[in-house]
Amino acid sequence: MNTFWHLEKEDFFKGIDDVKRVFLENSHRQELAKNETVFLEGDAGDSCFYIESGLVRIFGSAGFGKEMTFSLRMRGEFFGLSEVLNSSPRKAGAQTASASVLYSIGQQAFEGMLREHYPLARRVITLLGRRLRYMGDMVRRQNNDVANRLASLLISLAYDTLRTTEEWDKPCEIPLNIPQEQLASMVGSTQPTVSATLQRFRTDGLIVGNGRRLVLLNPIEMIYRLDHNLL
């Protein structure tokens, strides 16, 4: 499971409920519909966000007028941290991928919390360290072929469901409705290539399709093939 070390995550505030209470008291609650813009690349990085519910897409320019999705932030996660800490413009954009409830906090209030609550500061440092390591892994993974990158992404998308069960050898539906164009963006490929790769996974008995929904027939088998370069 070392391939997916970055998915072993819990709610950011787990175990520090008193800090969460202070954070919520000093933040602004936002209810956003699907596909609403949270911020754009180049905007002032003057706040960070905690996801109470929903899904947020972090994206940027991939050249030639195209966008690339860098990551998906899920319930219980923070995003927009590095720009707040560095007082720098946004390095990427953020958009809701589903109806979402976010809590945003301004730079001054957040920095005050970091000074007053050591557990929060330690949690932020740990989170940023994990994300830096993950970005390094992502750069190295770009040398793999599309099948490996796509399989890794599918497991990542299904992980929030998989971590609630021990039956990793049973079918698991990916709980997100993501078009192939966005899957292609997330793995740095094209829609036709992703479509052909998904068809190969179907032929190999790794997935079945249900409209835009995908079902992993045997997640542990996909992980085994991924770890042993058998895709």
Side-chain angles (χ1 to χ4, degrees):
M1 289 298 294
N2 286 339
T3 303
F4 298 96
W5 63 268
H6 59 282
L7 299 174
E8 297 289 349
K9 58 181 180 290
E10 299 172 328
D11 187 289
F12 178 86
F13 287 109
K14 183 176 181 180
I16 51 173
D17 293 341
D18 56 332
V19 177
K20 182 175 183 178
R21 183 169 56 253
V22 175
F23 172 84
L24 295 179
E25 290 172 353
N26 288 276
S27 60
H28 173 65
R29 187 176 187 271
Q30 301 171 263
E31 295 186 12
L32 302 178
K34 181 180 180 180
N35 294 330
E36 283 201 50
T37 298
V38 182
F39 54 74
L40 294 173
E41 185 176 352
D43 284 353
D46 54 6
S47 59
C48 54
F49 300 81
Y50 170 75
I51 305 174
E52 181 182 76
S53 64
L55 185 71
V56 174
R57 179 174 75 99
I58 308 299
F59 66 94
S61 173
F64 306 103
K66 294 185 178 181
E67 289 181 353
M68 181 173 183
T69 299
F70 300 134
S71 62
L72 294 173
R73 299 294 179 217
M74 303 182 186
R75 176 176 54 84
E77 290 194 84
F78 252 96
F79 66 96
L81 280 169
S82 61
E83 294 92 345
V84 167
L85 298 176
N86 294 318
S87 299
S88 61
R90 301 292 183 190
K91 298 178 178 63
Q95 179 188 51
T96 57
S98 70
S100 303
V101 176
L102 308 179
Y103 282 88
S104 61
I105 187 169
Q107 182 179 29
Q108 185 174 357
F110 191 65
E111 288 180 345
M113 286 196 64
L114 291 174
R115 288 192 298 268
E116 296 173 12
H117 299 276
Y118 173 70
L120 175 64
R122 184 173 60 184
R123 193 71 56 92
V124 167
I125 292 169
T126 300
L127 174 62
L128 293 177
R130 288 171 65 88
R131 287 183 178 171
L132 182 62
R133 178 184 166 194
Y134 172 61
M135 290 303 296
D137 283 0
M138 285 292 290
V139 170
R140 288 189 290 273
R141 199 175 302 159
Q142 291 304 310
N143 294 324
N144 295 336
D145 62 23
V146 173
N148 282 274
R149 299 201 302 270
L150 184 57
S152 179
L153 174 61
L154 295 179
I155 293 294
S156 298
L157 294 174
Y159 191 83
D160 204 44
T161 298
L162 288 170
R163 66 179 175 178
T164 64
T165 178
E166 295 180 356
E167 298 183 343
W168 281 58
D169 59 344
K170 304 295 183 183
C172 171
E173 182 176 9
I174 294 176
L176 302 170
N177 190 339
I178 299 180
Q180 289 186 7
E181 292 81 1
Q182 192 169 123
L183 291 176
S185 173
M186 295 176 74
V187 298
S189 185
T190 63
Q191 186 274 329
T193 300
V194 165
S195 179
T197 305
L198 289 173
Q199 183 55 49
R200 201 174 92 205
F201 288 173
R202 293 187 186 95
T203 301
D204 291 345
L206 296 172
I207 66 170
V208 293
N210 180 16
R212 286 185 178 180
R213 295 279 188 173
L214 292 174
V215 177
L216 306 184
L217 292 176
N218 190 330
I220 201 68
E221 173 66 17
M222 180 172 280
I223 291 172
Y224 176 83
R225 294 194 188 191
L226 181 63
D227 281 342
H228 291 81
N229 199 29
L230 297 175
L231 290 170

